[in-house]
C-alpha cells in the first residue's frame, strides 16, 4: 500500500505546473492573428506601392513625354515637359473659342495619396494600442496566472486529501469530512470566476475592438470612393493636350496653342490603382469575419476549463449576449494558448474523462486526479450503508 501511495504522490507532483516568476509572459500577443495580417497588409501595401511609384519616377526621369515642335531646342523641349507636368491640365476644344480643361492631378498626387492612405489605415492600430492594450495586457496576465494557479491548487488539494486518507484510521470520518467540504464548496476558488463574470458586464474592450474594425471599413470605403471618383476619371487617358502659352509666351506666334503629351507613368498608375482595389477588396471579408467572431463564444476553451472547481458556473452565463469584454478576452486567450500551460493538461484530462467508465462521478480535475491517485471520487458503496453489511 505504501508503494502505491508513493507512486500516487510522484504522479501528483509531476502534474504540478512550474511556478513562473520574474520576467514572464514577454511574448504575450496583444493582437489577434487576423488583425495583425490586416494591419500589415492595409498599412504595408500602400507603402510598397508608393515605393514602386517613386522608383519608376527616379529610374525613367520625367513621367511625361511631350511632342514639342521640331524647331524647339533641347532646352525648350525640356521646358515644355516641365511646364506641362507642373500644370498637368488637359485642354480640349469644346466649340469655337471654347476651351474645356480637365485636371490630371491624381497622377502627380499618386505617391502622396498612398502615403496618406497608409497613415489613415494606421490610425485604428494606434487607437487599439493606446485605448485597449494596457487594460487587455493586465487582464490577460491576471487570468492566465489564475488559471494555472487554480489548476495547481486542485492538484495540491488532491495531495492533501491523499495524506489525510493515509493518516485517517477511520474511513467513515474521512469520507464524511470530504462530502461536507464539497457541500460547503470548500473546493471552489471563486475569485477568477467572479472576475470573468464582471468582465461579462463590461464593454470597453469590445467597444474599442468594434470601433477599430469599423474605422477600417470606413477608411476602405473612402479609398473606394477616391479611386472611383478621381482615378477612374483619368485611368484610360494616355495622352493630353497641354498649353504653354502663358505669361511671356502668350503673344509668341511661333509657339503652338496646344502640345500633345504622353503619360509615360500611366502603366504604374494603373497597376497601383488596380492593386489597391484588389487588396482592400480581399481585406473587407477578413474585417467582417473579425467582427462576426464577437457574435459567438469559444465553447471549446470554456469546456476545457470547466474542469476547474467553480468554473462550471460560467457556462450558465455564457447563454447571454456574447458582445462583451469577456468574449474579447477569450479570443485573446485562444491566441495566447501557448502561455496557458494548464490548457494542455486539462485537455488531456477532458479526453480521459470522456473515455472513462465512471463518467457520473467525475466533474472536476479534483475528482479525476483523486481517481488516478487511487482514491474513489465519491464514498464507496460498502461505506454508504454499513448496517447492511452487519445484517446481510
Amino acid at each position: 500500500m505504501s508503494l502505491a501511495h508513493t507512486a500516487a504522490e510522484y504522479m501528483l507532483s509531476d502534474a504540478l505546473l512550474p511556478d513562473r516568476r520574474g520576467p514572464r509572459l514577454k511574448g504575450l500577443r496583444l493582437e489577434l492573428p487576423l488583425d495583425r495580417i490586416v494591419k500589415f497588409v492595409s498599412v504595408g501595401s500602400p507603402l510598397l506601392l508608393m515605393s514602386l511609384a517613386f522608383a519608376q519616377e527616379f529610374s525613367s526621369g520625367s513621367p511625361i513625354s511631350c511632342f514639342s515642335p521640331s524647331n524647339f531646342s533641347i532646352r525648350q523641349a525640356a521646358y515644355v515637359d516641365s511646364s506641362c507636368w507642373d500644370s498637368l491640365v488637359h485642354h480640349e476644344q469644346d466649340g469655337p473659342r471654347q476651351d474645356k480643361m480637365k485636371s490630371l492631378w491624381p497622377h502627380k498626387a499618386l505617391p502622396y495619396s498612398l502615403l496618406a492612405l497608409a497613415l489613415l489605415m494606421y490610425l485604428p492600430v494606434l487607437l487599439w494600442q493606446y485605448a485597449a492594450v494596457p487594460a487587455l495586457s493586465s487582464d490577460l496576465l491576471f487570468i492566465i496566472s489564475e488559471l494555472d494557479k487554480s489548476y495547481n491548487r486542485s492538484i495540491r488539494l488532491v495531495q492533501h486529501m491523499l495524506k489525510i486518507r493515509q493518516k485517517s484510521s477511520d474511513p467513515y470520518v474521512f469520507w464524511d469530512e470530504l462530502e461536507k467540504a464539497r457541500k460547503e464548496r470548500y473546493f471552489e476558488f471563486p475569485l477568477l470566476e467572479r472576475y470573468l463574470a464582471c468582465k461579462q458586464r463590461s464593454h470597453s474592450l469590445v467597444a474599442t475592438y468594434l470601433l477599430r474594425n469599423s474605422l477600417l471599413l470606413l477608411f476602405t470605403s473612402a479609398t473606394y470612393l477616391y479611386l472611383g471618383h478621381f482615378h477612374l476619371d483619368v485611368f484610360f487617358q494616355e495622352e493630353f493636350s497641354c498649353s504653354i502659352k502663358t505669361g511671356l509666351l502668350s503673344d509668341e506666334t511661333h509657339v503652338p496653342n496646344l502640345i500633345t503629351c504622353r503619360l509615360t507613368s500611366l502603366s504604374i498608375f494603373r497597376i497601383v490603382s488596380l492593386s489597391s482595389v484588389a487588396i482592400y477588396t480581399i481585406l473587407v471579408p477578413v474585417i467582417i469575419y473579425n467582427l462576426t467572431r464577437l457574435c459567438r463564444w469559444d465553447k471549446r476553451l470554456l469546456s476545457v476549463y470547466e474542469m476547474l472547481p467553480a468554473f462550471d458556473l460560467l457556462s450558465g452565463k455564457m447563454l447571454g449576449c456574447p458582445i462583451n469584454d469577456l468574449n474579447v478576452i477569450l479570443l485573446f486567450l485562444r491566441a495566447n494558448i501557448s502561455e496557458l500551460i494548464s490548457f494542455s493538461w486539462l485537455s488531456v484530462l477532458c479526453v480521459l474523462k470522456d473515455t472513462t467508465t465512471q463518467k457520473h462521478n467525475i466533474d472536476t480535475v479534483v475528482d479525476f486526479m483523486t481517481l488516478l491517485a487511487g482514491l474513489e471520487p465519491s464514498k464507496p458503496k460498502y461505506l454508504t450503508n454499513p448496517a447492511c453489511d452487519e445484517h446481510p
Side-chain angles (χ1 to χ4, degrees), residues 52 61 77 79 100 112 118 136 164 176 219 223 253 264 269 291 307 323 326:
L52 178 64
Y79 169 78
K100 182 180 179 181
Y112 310 103
L136 178 64
I164 293 178
D176 288 341
F219 295 156
T223 303
T253 57
T264 57
F269 182 84
L291 291 173
M307 288 199 70
I323 303 178
L326 177 59

Side-chain angles (χ1 to χ4, degrees), residues 15 65 67 143-144 210 223 269 319-320 339 348:
S65 177
F67 302 99
I143 293 171
I144 290 174
L210 289 172
T223 303
F269 182 84
L319 299 177
E339 300 291 342
V348 172

Side-chain angles (χ1 to χ4, degrees), residues 2-17 151-152 154-156 158-159 162 345 348-349 352 365-375:
S2 60
L3 183 60
H5 284 294
T6 302
E9 290 177 359
Y10 285 156
M11 184 269 297
L12 292 173
S13 298
D14 292 339
L16 284 172
L17 304 179
Y151 170 82
N152 271 354
S154 300
I155 301 300
R156 291 193 179 99
V158 178
Q159 288 178 325
L162 187 63
W345 282 90
V348 172
L349 293 180
L352 295 177
V365 64
V366 176
D367 298 330
F368 196 88
M369 298 307 291
T370 300
L371 182 63
L372 292 181
L375 296 176

Side-chain angles (χ1 to χ4, degrees), residues 71-87:
N71 59 345
F72 274 33
S73 64
I74 296 177
R75 295 183 64 181
Q76 288 175 326
Y79 169 78
V80 170
D81 289 350
S82 175
S83 177
C84 289
W85 175 249
D86 289 339
S87 63

Side-chain angles (χ1 to χ4, degrees), residues 63-66 83-92 100-111 113 226 229-243 259-266 269:
I64 64 172
S65 177
C66 296
S83 177
C84 289
W85 175 249
D86 289 339
S87 63
L88 207 61
V89 174
H90 174 56
H91 294 261
E92 185 177 357
K100 182 180 179 181
M101 294 185 296
K102 175 183 176 182
S103 177
L104 304 177
W105 66 268
H107 288 278
K108 187 185 297 186
L110 179 63
S113 62
Y226 173 79
H229 184 71
F230 295 106
H231 281 217
L232 188 61
D233 191 36
V234 297
F235 188 81
F236 299 101
Q237 186 163 354
E238 187 174 3
E239 295 182 351
F240 68 98
S241 299
C242 173
S243 174
I259 296 177
T260 302
C261 297
R262 186 170 63 88
L263 292 163
T264 57
S265 61
L266 183 62
F269 182 84

Side-chain angles (χ1 to χ4, degrees), residues 69-257:
S70 58
N71 59 345
F72 274 33
S73 64
I74 296 177
R75 295 183 64 181
Q76 288 175 326
Y79 169 78
V80 170
D81 289 350
S82 175
S83 177
C84 289
W85 175 249
D86 289 339
S87 63
L88 207 61
V89 174
H90 174 56
H91 294 261
E92 185 177 357
Q93 295 293 335
D94 194 22
R97 296 185 180 181
Q98 289 185 355
D99 193 11
K100 182 180 179 181
M101 294 185 296
K102 175 183 176 182
S103 177
L104 304 177
W105 66 268
H107 288 278
K108 187 185 297 186
L110 179 63
Y112 310 103
S113 62
L114 291 172
L115 178 61
L117 177 59
L119 294 175
L120 197 64
M121 289 297 179
Y122 195 67
L123 290 180
V125 179
L126 290 178
L127 172 69
W128 180 257
Q129 289 291 331
Y130 288 100
V133 164
L136 178 64
S137 60
S138 61
D139 287 338
L140 290 177
L141 287 173
F142 172 75
I143 293 171
I144 290 174
S145 176
E146 283 300 313
L147 286 174
D148 290 345
K149 286 179 181 178
S150 296
Y151 170 82
N152 271 354
R153 282 194 292 263
S154 300
I155 301 300
R156 291 193 179 99
L157 180 60
V158 178
Q159 288 178 325
H160 182 66
M161 290 169 54
L162 187 63
K163 291 179 182 178
I164 293 178
R165 182 66 184 88
Q166 285 179 307
K167 296 178 182 178
S168 176
S169 58
D170 189 355
Y172 297 101
V173 176
F174 169 75
W175 286 109
D176 288 341
E177 291 294 328
L178 186 60
E179 290 185 354
K180 180 181 177 182
R182 283 175 173 165
K183 289 180 181 179
E184 297 294 335
R185 302 166 64 95
Y186 292 158
F187 295 165
E188 299 180 359
F189 314 106
L191 175 62
L192 177 61
E193 191 262 342
R194 291 180 181 177
Y195 182 76
L196 295 179
C198 291
K199 285 298 174 181
Q200 196 175 16
R201 296 188 293 269
S202 176
H203 299 86
S204 58
L205 286 177
V206 71
T208 307
Y209 190 78
L210 289 172
L211 181 59
R212 172 184 177 171
N213 287 277
S214 300
L215 287 176
L216 285 173
L217 290 176
L218 177 63
F219 295 156
T220 303
S221 302
T223 303
Y224 285 146
L225 290 176
Y226 173 79
L227 293 174
H229 184 71
F230 295 106
H231 281 217
L232 188 61
D233 191 36
V234 297
F235 188 81
F236 299 101
Q237 186 163 354
E238 187 174 3
E239 295 182 351
F240 68 98
S241 299
C242 173
S243 174
I244 61 172
K245 295 191 69 172
T246 58
L248 297 177
L249 298 177
S250 58
D251 297 329
E252 296 292 333
T253 57
H254 69 281
V255 177
N257 292 329

